[in-house]
Amino acid sequence: MSSIPWQEKPKNSNDVVWRYSENPIINRYDIPSSNSIFNSAVVPFKKGFAGVFRCDNKAVQMNIFAGFSKNGIDWEINHEPIVMKAGNTEMIASDYKYDPRVVFIEDRYWITWCNGYHGPTIGIGYTFDFKEFFQCENAFLPFNRNGVLFPQKINGKYAMLSRPSDNGHTPFGDIYISYSPDMKYWGEHRCVMKATPFEDSAWQCTKIGAGPIPILTNEGWLMLYHGVINTCNGFRYAMGAAILDKNKPDTVKYRTQPYLLGPAEPYEMVGDVPNVVFPCAALHDTKEDKLAIYYGAADTVVAMVFGKLSEVIQFTKENSL
């Protein structure tokens, strides 16, 4: 496995996570057809990294594309979108695909995304090589977004976080967990975490959604997530962290009251959708105590932040609601 991307914290920074000095790492026009490239997922693959990228074209049609990198920062993204083959279903119709996540479980890489089937729902697929992709049954009925798989079975079942929603710019949203014996049939839906009261933590008072694949730590599952406040200028997205119980992940042990990262740089505040920090992937190295987070900025580009895994956990515990 290649070393994960890393940059030391600037000497004048007091932040728990800090931005890569060369952000954004992927620009909106990095493939010929694109209007924007953002909200994308990355995993270690062979001697480098592979990813599934949200690329909206110049007709603003939303689709997902495969890409590869030797160092996790410099990317070669395919110029054509992923074409799915039938996996555990023949029903692979899709009006759009966006906001993917990727995780390796057992023997293959699983991809989840927001899939257009009579409205947004959670699409599921898998690949062994990021060249051939197989689409499975949608996990849930419309409307749903932010489907995020856990990297291992919990109590013998696959587990997925999601955020039931509506068909538009959803003004509400809480995080739920669901279980499956086979990646086809999903049930045992449980509420994990709700948006907060305004007076308790306003940055996450309108809606929340799971971000990267949860990371198993000694304290439990570290779940990075986005939170939204509805301001006079529209939605503002920021990133927080929570720690879920290892064996019963619908139990929240800790949850950040302040955000970890909010839109502050020009590429986060100016773009197709201003004031958005939207995490979708994280690489970690427990031995080196390193965390590298990929996030969409202003629904336009991909950027990165870094942090010490132990410090993010400590901050979450010490600043919990």
Side-chain angles (χ1 to χ4, degrees):
M1 173 181 166
S2 298
S3 298
I4 69 171
W6 184 252
Q7 187 176 67
E8 293 293 340
K9 181 188 289 192
K11 292 182 179 180
N12 60 348
S13 173
N14 294 316
D15 294 326
V16 182
V17 297
W18 56 94
R19 293 170 177 84
Y20 180 46
S21 62
E22 301 299 318
N23 273 344
I25 62 165
I26 300 174
N27 289 295
R28 66 184 307 166
Y29 300 129
D30 275 1
I31 64 174
S33 65
S34 64
N35 166 77
S36 49
I37 306 174
F38 59 108
N39 297 2
S40 302
V42 171
V43 289
F45 179 69
K46 295 185 176 179
K47 295 182 179 180
F49 303 89
V52 178
F53 297 85
R54 173 177 177 173
C55 303
D56 295 2
N57 67 18
K58 291 179 174 67
V60 195
Q61 295 172 302
M62 304 165 190
N63 217 324
I64 54 176
F65 294 62
F68 300 90
S69 174
K70 293 180 180 179
N71 59 12
I73 293 175
D74 302 302
W75 287 89
E76 293 183 4
I77 301 173
N78 294 345
H79 291 182
E80 297 297 327
I82 291 168
V83 176
M84 293 287 178
K85 298 180 178 180
N88 65 15
T89 179
E90 295 298 321
M91 201 293 294
I92 60 173
S94 181
D95 295 325
Y96 48 77
K97 297 180 178 73
Y98 64 82
D99 296 357
R101 275 76 163 182
V102 181
V103 60
F104 183 80
I105 307 175
E106 296 172 335
D107 65 345
R108 68 194 69 185
Y109 297 89
W110 289 93
I111 304 104
T112 56
W113 65 89
C114 184
N115 193 46
Y117 179 72
H118 301 279
T121 184
I122 304 303
I124 302 178
Y126 63 86
T127 183
F128 297 96
D129 56 9
F130 289 91
K131 295 178 181 178
E132 191 174 33
F133 293 80
F134 299 88
Q135 186 168 339
C136 300
E137 282 284 339
N138 292 325
F140 309 118
L141 291 167
F143 306 115
N144 207 315
R145 293 180 172 90
N146 299 302
V148 180
L149 288 164
F150 282 76
Q152 64 188 52
K153 290 181 177 178
I154 297 175
N155 301 318
K157 298 175 183 177
Y158 298 103
M160 188 194 304
L161 301 165
S162 69
R163 191 201 73 200
S165 62
D166 63 13
N167 198 27
H169 300 289
T170 312
F172 63 88
D174 304 319
I175 297 174
Y176 284 74
I177 191 169
S178 304
Y179 296 92
S180 172
D182 57 5
M183 283 287 195
K184 185 171 185 178
Y185 300 103
W186 294 84
E188 299 179 80
H189 314 294
R190 302 288 186 270
C191 183
V192 176
M193 202 164 81
K194 290 181 171 289
T196 56
F198 177 88
E199 60 274 15
D200 290 346
S201 183
W203 71 269
Q204 53 183 325
C205 70
T206 299
K207 56 182 174 179
I208 56 175
I213 304 304
I215 298 168
L216 186 58
T217 74
N218 291 333
E219 296 288 346
W221 292 103
L222 175 64
M223 179 185 71
L224 299 166
Y225 66 97
H226 66 263
V228 182
I229 180 175
N230 192 11
T231 75
C232 59
N233 287 321
F235 289 155
R236 178 185 185 272
Y237 285 71
M239 180 180 74
I243 297 174
L244 313 179
D245 184 83
K246 176 183 177 181
N247 298 312
K248 200 171 182 293
D250 59 338
T251 299
V252 179
K253 297 172 65 177
Y254 307 99
R255 172 187 185 175
T256 51
Q257 183 178 36
Y259 58 75
L260 278 171
L261 184 75
E265 293 296 322
Y267 55 85
E268 299 161 349
M269 297 188 296
V270 178
D272 283 1
V273 182
N275 300 315
V276 174
V277 164
F278 194 95
C280 275
L283 302 171
H284 69 283
D285 185 325
T286 303
K287 184 177 180 180
E288 297 291 331
D289 194 25
K290 293 178 178 179
L291 181 65
I293 304 167
Y294 296 81
Y295 66 98
D299 277 16
T300 306
V301 297
V302 176
M304 291 190 74
V305 292
F306 304 103
K308 293 285 190 178
L309 190 57
S310 62
E311 292 179 1
V312 172
I313 293 169
Q314 182 180 0
F315 179 85
T316 305
K317 293 174 65 176
E318 293 179 352
N319 295 275
S320 182
L321 277 167

